[in-house]
Amino acid sequence: MVTFAWHRTDEVEPNRSYTALLGYVGLKSLSILPRFVWYGLQIEKQLKQTAGLIGYSLAARVLGAEFFHLSAWEDPRVVQMFVHEQPHRRIMEKLVGRLGKIEFRYWTVKGSELPLVFERELPRLNVAI
């Protein structure tokens, strides 16, 4: 698995609670991979500009067509705002029917637990690790 470093986008308060998000997307076919990567770059640009995001990391099993997202947010409301903004919303509409299994897990973490690490958090998903 290829794992990208944690990108901190905001200051962390060690005793504050944050919303953690772990996402998994499996592609139905590798034929969509170039488009999926292009869309991913657009969403990452949106992420970097989103107020309320504390940090994030990405990971992939490219040959297995499996992609993971791990992030920390100020609160669940900020996550929902991000999901419904452009380009994320438009891209998700374009990918309907082209994706395989999708799973998301939310939980609360303290700032002292950041950055989040895939090796520690992946067991939260119902996917083979």
Side-chain angles (χ1 to χ4, degrees), residues 22-24 68 103-105 121-129:
L22 174 61
Y24 167 82
F68 303 86
E103 288 205 32
F104 295 96
R105 296 289 182 270
E121 307 304 343
L122 280 179
R124 295 176 183 274
L125 293 174
N126 294 322
V127 297
I129 300 172

Side-chain angles (χ1 to χ4, degrees), residues 35-49 82 86-88 90-91 94:
R35 181 173 296 176
F36 184 79
V37 169
W38 171 244
Y39 288 157
L41 292 171
Q42 292 175 51
I43 291 173
E44 185 176 20
K45 182 178 179 184
Q46 178 189 351
L47 267 174
K48 290 178 179 179
Q49 299 170 352
F82 170 81
Q86 302 300 345
H88 188 276
R90 173 182 45 80
I91 290 169
K94 288 183 175 185

